[in-house]
Amino acid sequence: MISVYYFGAIALVLIGLYGVLVKKNLMKILISLSIMETGVNLLLISVGYVSGKSAPILSEGIKWNQAVDPIPQALVLTAIVIGVATTAMALSAAILIYEKYGTLNVEEIRRLRG
Amino acid sequence: MNEIPIILFTPLLAGVLAWLINVKGVRELIGVIGAATPLAFLAKLYPTIVNNPNNPITYQMTVSGFKVTFTLGMLNWYFAAIASLVGLAMAFGMVSTSKNGYDWLFALMSYTGVLGVFLSWDFVSFFLLWELMTFASFMMVLKRNRHESLKYFVLSVIGAYAMLLAIALIYAKTGALDFDSIRQALYMDAMLGSISKGETALIFVLFLTAFGVKAGAWPLHVWAPGAYSETDQSYTTFFSGALSKAGAYGFLLLYILMGAKLYYALGTFHGHLTFAYIIAWIGAITVVVASFLAVLQEDIRKLFAYSSVGQVGYILLAFGLGTGLGFAGGLFHVLSHAVFKGLFWLVTAAIILQTGKTQFKDFGGLAEKMPFTFAMGLIAVLSLAGIPPMAGFASKWLIYEAAISAHMPLVAGAIFLGSALAFAYVVRFLYAVWFGQRPSDLEDVKEAPLPLLIAMAILAIPNIVFGIAPGLVTNYLNKALGGEVVGGNYYKLVTQTGTYNALTVALLLVVGLAIAGLIYLYGAKARRIPVTNTYQSGNPVTEEFNLSIRRNFYLPLKEALAFWLRYSFDKFYERIAQLSEDFADTLREGFYNGNVQAYSWYLAIVLVILALWGVL
């Protein structure tokens, strides 16, 4: 049986993909990208989950074998930063595009660009 | 000390030096010395070669892990000597026609390549030097004409890949790269049959493509007319005289290496070896197609280019007959084509150098202005048209005899037709360029410079010597082929079907010329008449009226052939190139459309495919 975490994460990715493929508004595409990214991060986190274990911080009363897998968490931390950076850059590109073409419709932009 | 590396690499070294020093005079001196050295050493080795026919001189060296072998046996010596003779003539010609180090570098580089191809006895050095030869000749054409060089390049690359594939297949099957081991392995396999019929046929077709491109065999000949005409004409002497023989040599190699295997794998067809039959027909078609096209050319260089293609067709055809006499005729024609076509290109070089024109319509009456060049051109014409006592007659006669005694009437018919057409085009060259009314802008044309005349003499002498004494060549070939293929003595050739006595013919010709000379001297005095002293259909002609055969002389033939001329392989290849370009354009415009969402779709589809495949 597919875990609900996996299902939810993959569903988020697919929703994001749908938005990227179908929506014409640039802002909506960027939102979809963010959603996809969230889905991917959730998927990564849920891969490392071990049922019933606690956070992977060595402290009183918690031994090293009682923690969940720490590697996906480190990975996701990096991925979040990269995601934010790319989103910020994409948004600034969207601003420039809007200034230049006066529209955010991708087909319209393509037509104007020639 | 072994002479083979000296023979091989002196031209290359001289070319590099000539290019680096590049001082007028020094450059030419180095080039000529570099071109003469192989010929000198080959001449020096002649007694050794002839006295030990079964014990060739070999030289081995190790190049980056590969052991490469060079051999100087009877056959290798024959080809190498022809190449170096033509190479020397080329060097003398280039002293007059070429004014820069670039030409010297690449001309001499291709000289080394050709010698290497003839002397190699394993596929590593054979392929490397084959490519060196192709590269250098490509650079020579590239300098003059980009489009033609591209055509040459693309076809050469196809040939090179075909050869590389064939070598790889042979290596995979036999594990050998040197010719002796390959020959032995394939000979054994002829009986064992562990290499299947299909694989043998594939190797054969690949080699056929590789050697066919270089020999200019139909339908891979399309590069030749452009490449031969769009380069230094002195270099074309070597290009058409010696470099195209590398292809012919390749066909011979095919017999040496895998003759038995091909015979057992492909069997016979109407009493002929199937694979040889294919080669013979390729040769026959090449002869007919190229000769027809040569007749129709209006450019002097194009005419000889097509003629070269046709004459190499004779060689392939003779090799394709697969009999001893066929090999003797083909090998003799390698020599005579090298000397007469080399001579033709040198004459062309002289004409173009002195007049700057290439079209037949611009020429006329040059015989008085350039008498020595004319005499050389006449020797070449007589030799090409196959008029005794020239080398061209002896070799063509052997090929005819071979074709008739091999019972291939259609192939023999093709070469008769080719010869008639050859006569048609050389006669046009003779009359349009040398005789008739002289255009006024050619009044102050001078005789060709001395080095070019020396070059012509180098090639004209063998034409006459081997014409009057064809036995010199056939005796050598008998030894090389290991049997009494052509009988007779120095002046007489005897085959099963006939006898040709060159000395008698020569003497009769001399007597005839003497009688003609006496009539000319003591007969009625020749009178000079202007063009306007002629009447055409009862009307006096004007000064501009064209009474010569210079322009569109064979127009009726062209009209008669119009239906066939529509089908040209040149156009066919160009159409294929256009089609693939259009296809790529459509693909690019359709998929690479600048739409971000389209790219996302591709990505998604690829991911889905991968997921379905089970990769993800």
Side-chain angles (χ1 to χ4, degrees):
Chain A
M1 168 155 180
I2 306 169
S3 149
V4 67
Y5 304 118
Y6 288 161
F7 185 80
I10 290 170
L12 273 180
V13 172
L14 288 180
I15 290 166
L17 188 62
Y18 167 80
V20 168
L21 292 181
V22 175
K23 292 295 168 194
K24 299 296 172 204
N25 189 311
L26 202 54
M27 292 314 289
K28 285 184 182 168
I29 290 178
L30 289 183
I31 290 167
S32 310
L33 270 177
S34 284
I35 292 172
M36 250 169 110
E37 193 193 306
T38 316
V40 170
N41 288 342
L42 283 176
L43 186 68
L44 277 174
I45 286 290
S46 52
V47 164
Y49 180 64
V50 186
S51 180
K53 299 286 168 73
S54 70
I57 305 166
L58 282 179
S59 56
E60 289 292 320
I62 296 168
K63 283 185 187 157
W64 62 272
N65 59 355
Q66 285 173 332
V68 297
D69 191 353
I71 290 173
Q73 302 194 359
L75 209 59
V76 165
L77 215 57
T78 321
I80 289 170
V81 176
I82 292 169
V84 170
T86 49
T87 311
M89 210 179 80
L91 282 170
S92 56
I95 293 168
L96 286 175
I97 285 170
Y98 188 75
E99 275 175 5
K100 186 144 190 252
Y101 298 108
T103 172
L104 278 176
N105 186 324
V106 281
E107 290 191 338
E108 197 79 349
I109 292 165
R110 201 173 149 252
R111 198 174 55 76
L112 287 171
R113 200 197 57 169
Chain B
M1 184 58 209
N2 202 317
E3 287 90 346
I4 289 179
I6 305 176
I7 293 172
L8 262 182
F9 295 111
T10 332
L12 184 61
L13 191 69
V16 173
L17 281 179
W19 176 64
L20 284 176
I21 296 173
N22 208 4
V23 177
K24 191 173 185 280
V26 182
R27 180 180 64 207
E28 277 79 8
L29 191 68
I30 295 173
V32 170
I33 290 173
T37 313
L39 187 62
F41 274 100
L42 285 167
K44 193 190 133 205
L45 288 175
Y46 176 76
T48 326
I49 304 286
V50 175
N51 293 329
N52 309 300
N54 297 319
N55 199 6
I57 305 168
T58 56
Y59 175 76
Q60 281 190 330
M61 57 180 181
T62 312
V63 180
S64 60
F66 286 110
K67 203 159 134 202
V68 300
T69 316
F70 295 101
T71 299
L72 202 56
M74 290 290 277
L75 214 55
N76 309 84
W77 188 89
Y78 183 71
F79 275 93
I82 292 170
S84 57
L85 183 69
V86 179
L88 181 62
M90 164 194 81
F92 271 110
M94 277 176 67
V95 172
S96 303
T97 57
S98 178
K99 300 283 173 241
N100 60 61
Y102 179 101
D103 280 352
W104 282 98
L105 172 64
F106 288 112
L108 289 174
M109 191 189 277
S110 70
Y111 187 174
T112 287
V114 171
L115 285 177
V117 165
F118 291 153
L119 297 186
S120 293
W121 209 244
D122 70 292
F123 269 126
V124 178
S125 52
F126 185 83
F127 186 74
L128 282 177
L129 288 157
W130 180 277
E131 286 311 296
L132 185 74
M133 156 185 109
T134 309
F135 166 71
S137 51
F138 161 72
M139 292 303 275
M140 289 299 283
V141 185
L142 177 72
K143 196 182 160 208
R144 306 294 172 102
N145 189 321
R146 268 175 181 280
H147 180 248
E148 294 302 340
S149 70
L150 189 67
K151 222 169 16 177
Y152 178 45
F153 181 74
V154 169
L155 278 162
S156 293
V157 163
I158 292 172
Y161 280 132
M163 192 198 292
L164 204 55
L165 268 179
I167 292 171
L169 275 173
I170 286 184
Y171 184 65
K173 295 291 168 189
T174 65
L177 280 173
D178 66 302
F179 289 171
D180 283 328
S181 314
I182 290 174
R183 186 183 179 182
Q184 219 161 16
L186 287 177
Y187 187 74
M188 303 265 268
D189 196 77
M191 296 299 176
L192 296 170
S194 67
I195 301 172
S196 75
K197 251 185 201 185
E199 282 160 348
T200 315
L202 180 65
I203 294 173
F204 175 61
V205 169
L206 287 172
F207 271 133
L208 215 57
T209 316
F211 300 139
V213 167
K214 200 53 70 186
W218 181 90
L220 301 167
H221 64 277
V222 292
W223 61 270
Y228 287 165
S229 47
E230 294 295 339
T231 180
D232 187 291
Q233 298 304 315
S234 296
Y235 178 67
T236 317
T237 302
F238 191 72
F239 203 168
S240 138
L243 209 143
S244 65
K245 303 300 177 302
Y249 176 73
F251 281 96
L252 212 57
L253 212 55
L254 209 58
Y255 276 97
I256 295 174
L257 293 182
M258 47 192 307
K261 176 69 197 161
L262 283 169
Y263 167 54
Y264 280 100
L266 303 179
T268 55
F269 178 79
H270 287 298
H272 305 287
L273 303 173
T274 312
F275 76 100
Y277 197 72
I278 295 168
I279 296 176
W281 269 107
I282 289 174
I285 296 171
T286 310
V287 168
V288 173
V289 170
S291 300
F292 266 118
L293 287 171
V295 169
L296 302 176
Q297 298 306 314
E298 292 295 315
D299 186 311
I300 182 170
R301 299 169 302 171
K302 281 265 158 56
L303 186 148
F304 289 132
Y306 275 113
S307 152
S308 283
V309 174
Q311 298 296 322
V312 178
Y314 276 90
I315 298 169
L316 299 192
L317 185 153
F319 287 164
L321 296 172
T323 58
L325 198 55
F327 286 125
L331 286 168
F332 199 156
H333 204 62
V334 167
L335 169 66
S336 52
H337 177 250
V339 291
F340 71 63
K341 193 44 64 71
L343 187 51
F344 258 128
W345 285 110
L346 287 172
V347 170
T348 316
I351 296 171
I352 293 174
L353 184 70
Q354 298 304 96
T355 65
K357 298 181 192 306
T358 62
Q359 301 283 321
F360 276 122
K361 63 178 162 56
D362 300 326
F363 288 117
L366 278 179
E368 285 170 308
K369 295 286 174 187
M370 304 168 79
F372 189 77
T373 313
F374 165 65
M376 293 298 147
L378 187 63
I379 290 173
V381 163
L382 293 180
S383 196
L384 188 146
I387 291 164
M390 294 290 164
F393 177 81
S395 59
K396 277 192 184 177
W397 185 75
L398 284 177
I399 296 177
Y400 288 147
E401 298 274 302
I404 293 165
S405 54
H407 303 291
M408 291 172 103
L410 277 174
V411 168
I415 48 179
F416 282 123
L417 179 58
S419 278
L421 290 167
F423 193 71
Y425 61 68
V426 290
V427 160
R428 177 141 187 256
F429 167 72
L430 204 57
Y431 276 87
V433 175
W434 304 106
F435 303 144
Q437 70 192 88
R438 184 164 45 237
S440 46
D441 55 344
L442 293 183
E443 281 306 330
D444 48 359
V445 170
K446 289 184 187 63
E447 180 57 277
L450 184 67
L452 203 49
L453 294 180
I454 295 173
M456 289 183 213
I458 291 173
L459 290 183
I461 291 165
N463 264 313
I464 300 171
V465 170
F466 295 134
I468 295 176
L472 285 174
V473 183
T474 50
N475 285 348
Y476 184 86
L477 291 177
N478 281 343
K479 264 189 193 160
L481 296 169
E484 183 79 359
V485 180
V486 185
N489 51 25
Y490 283 134
Y491 306 109
K492 212 160 89 176
L493 297 184
V494 181
T495 67
Q496 287 168 337
T497 36
T499 307
Y500 161 57
N501 193 330
L503 193 63
T504 318
V505 177
L507 288 176
L508 283 176
L509 195 80
V510 169
V511 171
L513 283 177
I515 294 169
L518 286 177
I519 293 172
Y520 179 76
L521 283 179
Y522 296 105
K525 216 174 169 206
R527 190 160 55 94
R528 286 198 146 284
I529 50 164
V531 181
T532 42
N533 203 355
T534 319
Y535 285 84
Q536 158 122 352
S537 307
N539 295 316
V541 299
T542 53
E543 186 74 50
E544 303 84 56
F545 195 84
N546 180 29
L547 277 171
S548 68
I549 66 172
R550 291 193 303 238
R551 198 177 305 143
N552 282 332
F553 183 65
Y554 290 113
L555 193 62
L557 182 66
K558 200 174 196 163
E559 280 163 359
L561 290 173
F563 175 76
W564 294 103
L565 289 175
R566 284 190 301 139
Y567 301 98
S568 130
F569 267 93
D570 225 348
K571 283 184 206 147
F572 174 70
Y573 291 135
E574 252 160 42
R575 192 171 294 172
I576 287 184
Q578 193 61 47
L579 270 178
S580 49
E581 211 177 307
D582 287 349
F583 178 68
D585 267 351
T586 324
L587 218 60
R588 190 171 55 84
E589 278 158 21
F591 285 89
Y592 186 70
N593 52 11
N595 187 346
V596 188
Q597 280 188 313
Y599 302 153
S600 315
W601 273 110
Y602 304 152
L603 212 59
I605 290 165
V606 169
L607 284 176
V608 166
I609 291 170
L610 287 176
L612 289 178
W613 208 338
V615 179
L616 290 178

